[in-house]
């Protein structure tokens, strides 16, 4: 998934702040080998953030506020809503309600009042609704914690739906990453502007995310999750019904976050 400002800026020499994450790309390609085999995208420039554990709350498109008291994010109180179903006209297009964007290990993550997460335990954020919106929130939360959290092993073990061989590859590739401070991650990471459900069933979902670029267009990335054990889990198995999409300036078919 495109995530860092380095991907949207003019090329710079090695060593600049926007280039910090780029050097780890090669060592983490193996993480997404199974995703590529199933039609997946290239990963974002990965970083292992082992500095500050604080979570900064940020409104969409705004600067972060002072750090919250929760190390890996602050839960948003869940607001009861009427039951939703696939017969609803906005089943795929309704945005998650009451989103709080918080930087966890430097990375902006969404916390929703309607679709979770409802529990934070160490590096793990879990408890998402069995809906397209819950899948979208879970896709970002889990994939970004998998890539950026220093406690990635817990995410791999408990929040991925992969084979044992793929699990070993994930752990080996993440263990091989260089480490930088979370503050450096925070200066080079973006939050998506919108999402679109590429494919959805009760068992799996592939979600598109639109990341703003410096040219005014949006780079489109995909992430896939599967419903397993009563919650969404990350998987590299992208739906064939949700192919890669090119950059676009038109978000009319997307839902703003």
């Amino acid at each position: 998934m495109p995530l860092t400002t380095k991907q949207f800026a003019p090329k710079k020499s090695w060593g600049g702040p926007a280039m910090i994450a780029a050097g780890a790309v090669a060592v983490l390609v193996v993480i997404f080998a199974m995703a590529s085999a199933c039609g997946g995208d290239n990963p974002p420039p990965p970083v292992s953030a082992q500095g500050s554990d604080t979570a900064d709350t940020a409104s969409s498109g705004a600067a972060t506020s002072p750090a919250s008291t929760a190390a890996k994010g602050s839960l948003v109180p869940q607001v009861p809503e009427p039951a939703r179903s696939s017969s609803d006209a906005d089943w795929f297009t309704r945005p998650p309600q009451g989103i709080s964007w918080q930087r966890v290990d430097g990375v902006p993550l969404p916390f929703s009042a309607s679709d979770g997460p409802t529990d934070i335990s160490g590096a793990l954020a879990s408890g998402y609704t069995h809906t397209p919106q819950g899948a979208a929130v879970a896709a970002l939360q889990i994939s970004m914690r998998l890539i950026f959290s220093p406690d990635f092993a817990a995410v791999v073990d408990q929040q991925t739906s992969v084979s044992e061989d793929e699990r070993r590859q994930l752990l080996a590739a993440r263990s091989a990453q260089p480490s930088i401070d979370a503050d450096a991650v925070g200066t080079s990471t973006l939050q998506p502007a919108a999402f679109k459900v590429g494919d959805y069933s009760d068992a799996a979902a592939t979600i598109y995310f639109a990341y703003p670029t410096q040219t005014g267009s949006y780079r489109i990335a995909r992430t896939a999750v599967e419903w397993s054990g009563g919650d969404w889990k990350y998987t590299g198995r992208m739906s064939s019904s949700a192919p890669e999409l090119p950059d676009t300036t038109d978000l009319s078919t997307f839902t703003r976050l």
Side-chain angles (χ1 to χ4, degrees):
M1 291 174 58
L3 186 70
T4 68
T5 55
K6 174 263 175 186
Q7 292 179 288
F8 309 132
K11 291 186 177 180
K12 300 180 181 180
S13 60
W14 286 95
M19 297 296 292
I20 288 176
V25 175
V27 296
L28 266 187
V29 168
V30 66
I31 285 185
F32 292 86
M34 66 275 199
S36 297
C38 299
D41 297 316
N42 293 326
V47 179
S48 178
Q50 296 187 356
S52 170
D53 282 341
T54 57
D56 293 337
T57 302
S59 61
S60 179
T64 57
S65 65
S68 72
T69 57
K72 299 299 179 181
S74 295
L75 293 176
V76 175
Q78 299 298 289
V79 178
E81 290 193 317
R84 289 174 276 160
S85 73
S86 58
S87 62
D88 295 339
D90 61 352
W91 176 241
F92 293 121
T93 59
R94 186 179 191 276
Q97 301 297 294
I99 283 187
S100 167
W101 285 96
Q102 303 173 30
R103 285 194 179 269
V104 178
D105 294 315
V107 185
L109 298 178
F111 293 75
S112 169
S114 59
D115 296 283
T118 59
D119 182 75
I120 298 175
S121 178
L124 307 178
S126 59
Y128 303 97
T129 58
H130 197 183
T131 64
Q133 293 73 25
V137 175
L140 278 177
Q141 283 275 357
I142 300 171
S143 63
M144 294 300 98
R145 289 172 188 262
L146 171 63
I147 295 172
F148 289 92
S149 174
D151 305 314
F152 60 88
V155 182
V156 173
D157 288 340
Q158 300 185 49
Q159 290 192 297
T160 61
S161 179
V162 297
S163 69
E164 180 60 25
D165 183 58
E166 290 167 346
R167 188 187 73 84
R168 287 193 296 267
Q169 291 183 58
L170 285 166
L171 291 172
R174 277 294 275 113
S175 297
Q177 276 190 256
S179 302
I180 67 172
D181 187 84
D183 290 340
V185 180
T187 63
S188 62
T189 54
L190 302 171
Q191 69 188 51
F195 78 96
K196 180 168 69 172
V197 178
D199 192 37
Y200 181 87
S201 70
D202 286 343
T206 297
I207 309 295
Y208 293 109
F209 294 99
Y211 289 88
T213 74
Q214 292 183 347
T215 64
S217 64
Y218 295 89
R219 185 154 296 168
I220 310 303
R222 295 177 299 171
T223 300
V225 289
E226 292 185 359
W227 186 259
S228 176
D231 210 351
W232 293 109
K233 295 185 177 181
Y234 170 86
T235 180
R237 292 180 284 274
M238 305 285 182
S239 170
S240 60
S241 298
E244 295 183 34
L245 295 178
D247 291 7
T248 184
T249 58
D250 181 13
L251 293 185
S252 60
T253 62
F254 282 71
T255 298
R256 294 280 182 172
L257 284 169

